[in-house]
Amino acid sequence: MPGDALSQDPAELRRRIDTTKAHPARVYDVFLGGKDNYEVDRNAAAAALAANPRGYLDVRHNRDFLRRAVTTLTRDEGIRQYLDIGTGLPTQENVHQIAQRIAPDSRVVYVDNDPVVLAHARALLTSGPEGRTDYIDAALEDPGQILDAAAKTLDLERPVALALVAILHFVEDEQAYPIVRELIDALPSGSRLVLSHLTEDLNPENIRAVQRTYTERGFTFVLRSRAEVERFLTESGLEVDEPGVVPAHHWRPDGAAPVPEQPEPGYLATLDDIEKVRYRDINDVTDADINVYAVTGRKP
Ligand SMILES: C[S@@+](CC[C@H](N)C(=O)[O-])C[C@H]1O[C@@H](n2cnc3c(N)ncnc32)[C@H](O)[C@@H]1O
């Protein structure tokens, strides 16, 4: 039944949530201006921001790439099914809200292995009546389990857009390439891959400084080159869509990134650097800021 993952025992869920260690989903939530994070996550975000003071632009432009990719695929390419692995904590604009605004019958399956995301997953199960959403509590490293569970909501005989957005840097090469191949192999012709990935090609000094703050906290943090990112598509037999593998802010910009409302200047002055992030306008960006590649591809 859709939503099965949510029936997990609350006590067991609480046991799985470690508030003494930063978690990627919650650190990412800090940068998106969310509230579902703990002090340890805000400290990790603050360390990353100290290492790269405009680093919030990587996070926010990554998220805006997802918005543009889902918009384009739903509006222009007829995609009605999404499998979003490494969903992150729910935000204002999740994949199903973006897709169902254009095509109410869109179906979206979310997958994440963080218990905090599971604890908030109800906010992802707010599909309109014509569409469907589900949430799977699983790891990317288990593509078989993901595909079996996703098949309860998605028709795997019809095209699916697989979203792997800012997740593959948590997985080493030996696993990452075969996992992507296995997932794509299970999808029919016309399916898509929506992929973003951190890189040291663009502004190596600032991303290496950020990388140190993550590896010190025990995270895997693999930076991949343009060719290594493209390999995820070519090795899986995908055709790369225009404009190819590009810095996230150059992937089909549409000038529609949400601009946050500005508070009183006096109030802004009372906030620390991390709290100010939620009020930053991401249109204030240059090539010297971005360390994320974005690309989509199509299964012929
Ligand atoms: C940086 S966030 C990206 C969120 C969202 N995809 C986006 O780009 O806005 C990475 C997410 O991937 C999840 N994640 C990391 N490793 C994972 C794994 N091995 N299996 C499933 N989810 C994973 C984290 O819990 C986190 O929610």
Side-chain angles (χ1 to χ4, degrees):
M1 217 188 104
D4 267 0
L6 300 183
S7 56
Q8 195 167 90
D9 172 23
E12 167 60 19
L13 191 54
R14 273 196 301 277
R15 260 195 300 282
R16 280 179 59 194
I17 296 176
D18 186 351
T19 56
T20 64
K21 237 178 61 194
H23 273 221
R26 296 176 339 217
V27 177
Y28 189 80
D29 181 63
V30 175
F31 280 113
L32 288 182
K35 298 232 175 280
D36 301 318
N37 48 70
Y38 300 99
E39 193 182 351
V40 67
D41 306 306
R42 290 189 286 278
N43 290 343
L49 197 64
N52 180 21
R54 286 169 66 81
Y56 60 88
L57 288 164
D58 278 330
V59 173
R60 302 271 298 280
H61 275 279
N62 173 69
R63 190 74 199 178
D64 201 56
F65 157 66
L66 178 63
R67 176 188 65 77
R68 299 195 305 279
V70 171
T71 301
T72 309
L73 290 176
T74 312
R75 185 189 59 208
D76 306 336
E77 308 286 342
I79 293 289
R80 296 290 179 270
Q81 305 195 96
Y82 289 88
L83 177 56
D84 178 15
I85 307 181
T87 301
L89 281 153
T91 68
Q92 297 286 321
E93 288 277 276
N94 305 292
V95 171
H96 74 282
Q97 278 127 350
I98 301 166
Q100 291 185 351
R101 198 175 305 128
I102 301 164
D105 59 338
S106 298
R107 294 180 176 202
V108 180
V109 171
Y110 295 105
V111 184
D112 207 289
N113 68 348
D114 188 318
V116 180
V117 180
L118 173 61
H120 289 87
R122 233 165 263 291
L124 299 169
L125 300 180
T126 54
S127 172
E130 294 164 62
R132 274 172 78 180
T133 59
D134 195 12
Y135 181 83
I136 305 171
D137 175 32
L140 176 63
E141 288 80 351
D142 201 348
Q145 183 198 346
I146 292 175
L147 289 164
D148 285 349
K152 294 178 187 158
T153 304
L154 305 179
D155 176 356
L156 299 186
E157 305 289 312
R158 289 196 303 130
V160 174
L162 168 66
L164 296 172
V165 177
I167 181 173
L168 285 168
H169 59 281
F170 296 119
V171 187
E172 302 283 358
D173 284 2
E174 309 77 70
Q175 284 194 290
Y177 289 97
I179 288 169
V180 176
R181 239 188 347 259
E182 184 173 342
L183 289 166
I184 296 292
D185 278 352
L187 303 178
S189 164
S191 291
R192 305 299 176 118
L193 177 63
V194 177
L195 177 67
S196 74
H197 205 296
L198 284 165
T199 185
E200 60 185 332
D201 285 0
L202 303 171
N203 297 289
E205 258 172 53
N206 62 23
I207 194 63
R208 283 191 199 126
V210 171
Q211 183 183 36
R212 276 193 293 278
T213 71
Y214 278 81
T215 51
E216 274 166 10
R217 288 172 167 78
F219 296 135
T220 301
F221 203 84
V222 187
L223 302 170
R224 291 194 171 93
S225 67
R226 189 177 180 286
E228 288 166 331
V229 172
E230 191 160 313
R231 213 181 114 200
F232 282 113
L233 290 98
T234 49
E235 264 201 18
S236 304
L238 301 181
E239 291 164 354
V240 176
D241 294 326
E242 286 300 320
V245 179
V246 293
H249 61 311
H250 289 313
W251 194 93
R252 305 190 199 178
D254 62 3
V259 179
E261 245 177 69
Q262 292 304 304
E264 293 292 313
Y267 172 71
L268 205 56
T270 66
L271 302 180
D272 65 23
D273 289 345
I274 273 292
E275 290 164 329
K276 280 185 185 140
V277 161
R278 78 175 67 215
Y279 300 108
R280 304 284 188 203
D281 179 1
I282 72 166
N283 297 298
D284 170 22
V285 63
T286 73
D287 288 351
D289 294 316
I290 296 298
N291 296 290
V292 180
Y293 276 134
V295 61
T296 65
R298 180 179 190 281
K299 187 163 175 174

